[in-house]
Amino acid sequence: LAKDRGKNNYQYYNPKLNNYSTRRMKLEVELRKALNKDQLTIHYQPQVELSTKKIIAVEALLRWNSPKYGSVSPAEFIPIAEETGLIVPIGRWVLQKVSEQQKQWKKAGISSLRVAVNVSVRQMQENCFAQDVKQVIKEHDLNPVDLELEITESIMQNIENSTIVLNELKKLGVTLSIDDFGKGYSSLSYLRHLPIDTIKIDKSFVDDICDTSNNGSIAKAIIDMGHNLGFTIVAEGIEQEEQAEFLKGNSCEYGQGYFFSKPLPAEEVFLLLEKGLDR
Ligand code: C2E
Ligand code: MG
Ligand code: MG
Ligand code: MG
């Protein structure tokens, strides 16, 4: 407690903390303008079938180019957007943009490409979330399974509301996945009670694979148990060929990571989709 620390609460004087909160506040001010000033863009990272290297989906990832601060990482601005509630209008914009993009790709001859969108718990708490998703699908004449919503294990914090919303979303026919699986504290057997299609294994367990002390035992366990419970498995953050090989050898069907491709602007992803990765 502050009172136990006495009057000279050192945190108050911590210059590092001060710099941090100053940057944070400045970023918040800038982020409020970013949406209307066209500073946000979306990059897309391919998700591949490990056995064929065929691109089966792309994940939409926000990029913010601030005139004041340059390119700011989502790891820094997404938490600010979440805490301030800005993630609600930003998330709605992402959904709209992604749907427009998907419609364009379809017109250009790319059929049935699934696009995954990251969704914050904060967005799911909005009463109209499922309605917004329904609307955007209808407006762009999308095939609902081609829209994938990635949520994190933090939905477990408010399991009642999450269950209701996830069921509403599943009724629309969209694909649902759990992002960064293993970072939180949820168990696969619990997730089985939710209408989840896919588990994305967190990058940290993919990094582990090349760590000789444990030989990817956690990744293996998630793949096996996930399959037994009927989930599709995607591994995140694959940077090396040996990781891709290990995962493929242990029955993981899909993967994503710099080894295959970094997140790219829509035009570049289009070229990859046409040309393929399995040259
Ligand atoms: P995420 O959803 O887990 O996305 C994967 C992150 O890992 C992305 O970081 C991606 O660029 C990065 N990545 C992919 N492959 C590799 C690899 O092989 N090595 C390494 N080191 N990194 C890899 P990014 O784009 O910086 O995004 C960070 C996080 O920000 C995302 O993690 C997601 O949670 C959040 N985010 C991004 N866009 C959105 C959005 O539109 N809405 C929401 N709510 N969150 C978003
Ligand atoms: Mg994601
Ligand atoms: Mg995420
Ligand atoms: Mg992830």
Side-chain angles (χ1 to χ4, degrees):
L1 293 172
K3 103 171 180 280
D4 299 324
R5 283 190 228 116
K7 265 190 221 153
N8 294 324
N9 179 347
Y10 76 95
Q11 285 193 24
Y12 189 77
Y13 299 103
N14 185 330
K16 254 195 195 148
L17 191 72
N18 245 332
N19 284 340
Y20 166 76
S21 38
T22 311
R23 174 168 163 94
R24 216 201 108 92
M25 282 188 311
K26 286 178 179 166
L27 283 178
E28 181 184 330
V29 171
E30 291 306 301
L31 191 57
R32 288 187 186 279
K33 304 183 222 160
L35 195 54
N36 296 328
K37 294 206 163 166
D38 273 351
Q39 296 167 13
L40 298 178
T41 54
I42 299 172
H43 282 193
Y44 296 87
Q45 185 179 37
Q47 232 177 59
V48 309
E49 183 174 48
L50 293 174
S51 57
T52 58
K53 292 198 181 168
K54 226 182 116 189
I55 299 173
I56 49 113
V58 292
E59 176 176 1
L61 293 158
L62 260 175
R63 295 292 174 258
W64 177 21
N65 194 8
S66 154
K68 270 202 188 152
Y69 300 100
S71 146
V72 185
S73 159
E76 187 172 20
F77 76 79
I78 293 288
I80 299 175
E82 286 173 340
E83 279 163 43
T84 54
L86 280 169
I87 196 65
V88 173
I90 290 176
R92 209 175 277 138
W93 178 85
V94 171
L95 208 53
Q96 190 70 27
K97 278 284 163 195
V98 161
S99 305
E100 283 165 22
Q101 187 56 63
Q102 206 166 11
K103 195 175 179 181
Q104 277 184 21
W105 278 329
K106 219 180 191 175
K107 267 193 197 155
I110 309 272
S111 60
S112 73
L113 175 74
R114 198 169 68 239
V115 184
V117 176
N118 291 284
V119 174
S120 298
V121 179
R122 184 69 180 70
Q123 292 173 265
M124 297 220 323
Q125 288 165 346
E126 291 287 295
N127 282 328
C128 55
F129 183 66
Q131 192 56 40
D132 286 353
V133 173
K134 184 179 179 180
Q135 177 58 33
V136 90
I137 289 172
K138 197 173 146 207
E139 194 183 323
H140 299 88
D141 193 27
L142 304 179
N143 185 357
V145 287
D146 289 340
L147 179 63
E148 176 173 340
L149 302 178
E150 296 191 1
I151 53 210
T152 58
E153 293 169 83
S154 51
I155 52 156
M156 294 299 181
Q157 285 161 15
N158 186 351
I159 192 64
E160 282 104 281
N161 178 63
S162 300
T163 306
I164 294 170
V165 180
L166 290 174
N167 284 325
E168 280 173 5
L169 292 168
K170 196 67 231 178
K171 251 193 236 154
L172 301 176
V174 299
T175 303
L176 296 174
S177 58
I178 298 290
D179 203 355
D180 309 332
F181 182 79
K183 255 173 101 176
Y185 302 97
S186 57
S187 72
L188 280 172
S189 55
Y190 198 92
L191 289 175
R192 182 177 48 160
H193 300 300
L194 296 171
I196 301 295
D197 303 286
T198 302
I199 300 292
K200 297 187 80 175
I201 305 177
D202 189 63
K203 181 181 184 299
S204 55
F205 306 116
V206 173
D207 294 342
D208 252 2
I209 288 169
C210 296
D211 188 338
T212 44
S213 65
N214 56 42
N215 299 313
S217 52
I218 299 177
K220 265 201 250 180
I222 297 174
I223 296 166
D224 286 345
M225 204 190 219
H227 280 158
N228 287 335
L229 295 171
F231 296 115
T232 298
I233 312 288
V234 178
E236 293 193 273
I238 302 176
E239 292 179 346
Q240 295 160 21
E241 180 156 27
E242 57 180 318
Q243 294 169 331
E245 285 304 317
F246 175 95
L247 290 158
K248 190 172 80 179
N250 283 283
S251 311
C252 178
E253 320 74 318
Y254 305 107
Q256 192 179 334
Y258 296 169
F259 172 64
F260 299 108
S261 170
K262 292 206 167 187
L264 300 168
E267 314 81 64
E268 285 175 47
V269 137
F270 179 73
L271 298 177
L272 266 192
L273 288 167
E274 285 199 307
K275 174 174 84 151
L277 283 168
D278 50 345
R279 298 139 276 169

